[in-house]
Amino acid sequence: MSLLAGMDTRTPSPPAPEEFASRFATALDDFFRTRPRLDAADELAGEIHALVLAGGKRIRPAFAWWGWRAAGGQVRGDAADATVRALVALELLQCCALVHDDVMDRSATRRGRPAVHEAFAARHRRSRWAGSARHHGDCAAILVGDLALAWADDALVTAGLPAAALARAWRPWQEMRIEMMAGQHLDLLATARREGSLEAALRVAALKTAAYTVERPLHLGAALAGAPADVVECLRVFGRDVGVAFQLRDDLIGMVGDSAVTGKPVGGDLREGKRTPLMAIGIARATAAGEHGTARMLARCLGGAPVTDETVAAVRAALVDLGAVDAVEEHIDVLAASGLAALDRADIDEEARTHLKHLAAKAVHRHV
């Protein structure tokens, strides 16, 4: 049973419409339109453009914008326009992460279309080029991700920010890039070392997802607005908790979601041997209950054993029966409550507080 039983944790009614989404879409289009052309890089640039415009929740720039607004940033004016342009960097950083992550995880699809490495490999096979199609696809995807990362820096430093604002933003921007890569490295190590503890899985979630999805975007936006240290700290605590909850929700969706809606096959983490908190809880509960056969089945999936659709269905049923799914739902509720409490302590604009609560609810209680 949820620790927040009796509390209303449903997504609240959205606040009054706000034009950030359309302004951000325009800024994205302007950025791509003004990129220098180089024939040799056109295919790489095309993949970035297609992936960024193929969908996505735009959650990182949205949190950053409301971090800016929370700290007193205005809706209109040159500073606001420059801030919107700067936040394009977050979507490009996300593009880098997705492309490289798909190579590492051998994911075949992304946002309902072939993953970048698969698209390049398919072209290699159709063209009957020399060498390995898989190797060619991986190498091209690495370059696409590298270009997206370079463009992310370009977007930030060419946005027209005042020098003082750019200087304030540079530290969270640096930290965000490092934390994202460190989290990915920890994820790789956890798989290689067969680390299955809940503590290790949550550490990966905190670095790989929470930091660059919610915490640092909020920090970036607040820094651009010149927020005082106490406000930044409250926003970061809020962002850290909501960001981990966001990853836990992703883990649940990956096991019990609808692939037709998510654009990725159900059980992808299982097939990749990912040590998610959901699996860590499942193995621990099966072991504690003396269900050693179930514990071995779950552990085998993380140890490289073949995972079929039937395996995914069996694992999903086991995680539900063991109460692991409910336990993750409970932890999401606890993190959401903790994050909202930190947000309530912050001395920030009330309209921004309302929007941040709505964004948090959408992030942690979504179904896709």
Side-chain angles (χ1 to χ4, degrees), residues 7-28:
M7 290 182 62
D8 185 1
T9 59
R10 296 170 297 178
T11 303
S13 299
E18 205 272 340
E19 62 182 39
F20 171 71
S22 62
R23 290 172 69 182
F24 184 74
T26 299
L28 265 179

Side-chain angles (χ1 to χ4, degrees), residues 176-189:
M176 178 164 37
R177 292 176 303 172
I178 294 168
E179 288 161 351
M180 181 186 81
M181 295 173 192
Q184 186 71 301
H185 185 224
L186 284 179
D187 197 16
L188 284 172
L189 286 176

Side-chain angles (χ1 to χ4, degrees), residues 14-368:
E18 205 272 340
E19 62 182 39
F20 171 71
S22 62
R23 290 172 69 182
F24 184 74
T26 299
L28 265 179
D29 288 342
D30 289 345
F31 180 84
F32 284 121
R33 182 173 48 79
T34 58
R35 288 309 85 205
R37 293 295 301 273
L38 181 63
D39 289 346
D42 276 355
E43 284 185 301
L44 308 181
E47 287 294 330
I48 296 171
H49 188 263
L51 182 58
V52 168
L53 298 184
K57 295 173 280 293
R58 308 285 191 253
I59 189 171
R60 292 159 187 84
F63 271 113
W65 172 250
W66 285 106
W68 154 265
R69 294 288 307 281
Q74 299 302 303
V75 178
R76 293 291 175 190
D78 292 344
D81 292 341
T83 296
V84 174
R85 290 192 295 269
L87 300 186
V88 168
L90 293 169
E91 208 63 18
L92 292 165
L93 182 66
Q94 165 71 344
C95 179
C96 165
L98 294 179
V99 173
H100 286 174
D101 195 54
D102 286 344
V103 173
M104 293 171 167
D105 294 341
R106 309 312 313 169
S107 298
T109 60
R110 172 65 67 179
R111 293 178 176 171
R113 61 193 297 271
V116 170
H117 64 282
E118 289 288 349
F120 277 104
R123 184 184 177 199
H124 184 285
R125 285 189 289 269
R126 288 194 305 269
S127 302
R128 299 179 181 274
W129 288 340
S132 163
R134 172 169 169 165
H135 181 68
H136 175 84
D138 290 352
C139 292
I142 290 169
L143 293 173
V144 169
D146 289 349
L147 180 58
L149 181 59
W151 277 3
D153 283 344
D154 288 351
L156 182 62
V157 301
T158 64
L161 295 166
L166 181 58
R168 290 193 302 267
W170 196 249
R171 182 186 172 195
W173 178 247
Q174 285 179 309
E175 295 294 336
M176 178 164 37
R177 292 176 303 172
I178 294 168
E179 288 161 351
M180 181 186 81
M181 295 173 192
Q184 186 71 301
H185 185 224
L186 284 179
D187 197 16
L188 284 172
L189 286 176
T191 300
R193 294 172 175 171
R194 300 181 179 178
E195 294 174 349
S197 73
L198 178 59
E199 180 183 7
L202 288 173
R203 186 177 177 217
V204 170
L207 279 176
K208 185 180 175 183
T209 301
Y212 98 102
T213 299
V214 186
E215 180 187 352
R216 291 300 185 183
L218 280 168
H219 188 182
L220 182 71
L224 285 169
D230 59 332
V231 168
V232 169
E233 180 59 23
C234 287
L235 289 175
R236 287 188 61 191
V237 172
F238 163 72
R240 193 175 307 129
D241 288 345
V242 169
V244 174
F246 176 89
Q247 180 59 56
L248 295 179
R249 177 61 61 196
D250 253 12
D251 295 342
L252 289 179
I253 290 171
M255 277 305 302
V256 301
D258 182 350
S259 60
V261 177
T262 64
K264 297 198 74 176
V266 173
D269 286 344
L270 196 64
R271 291 182 171 91
E272 294 155 14
K274 290 291 181 68
R275 263 65 178 170
T276 65
L278 176 62
M279 288 295 286
I281 291 171
I283 292 171
R285 289 192 169 212
T287 302
E291 298 183 22
H292 300 300
T294 300
R296 284 194 295 271
M297 175 190 70
L298 298 177
R300 280 198 302 271
C301 292
L302 300 181
V307 175
T308 64
D309 290 345
E310 291 74 19
T311 308
V312 172
V315 169
R316 178 159 55 181
L319 292 172
V320 171
D321 291 344
L322 289 164
V325 170
D326 286 342
V328 171
E329 288 281 8
E330 180 177 308
H331 197 50
I332 288 171
D333 284 347
V334 170
L335 285 166
S338 173
L340 291 174
L343 185 65
D344 283 337
R345 292 193 300 270
D347 181 15
I348 60 174
D349 175 85
E350 286 304 317
E351 182 185 8
R353 194 191 314 273
T354 299
H355 276 270
L356 286 171
K357 287 183 176 182
H358 180 65
L359 283 173
K362 285 177 64 178
V364 304
H365 297 298
R366 74 195 191 286
H367 300 289
V368 294

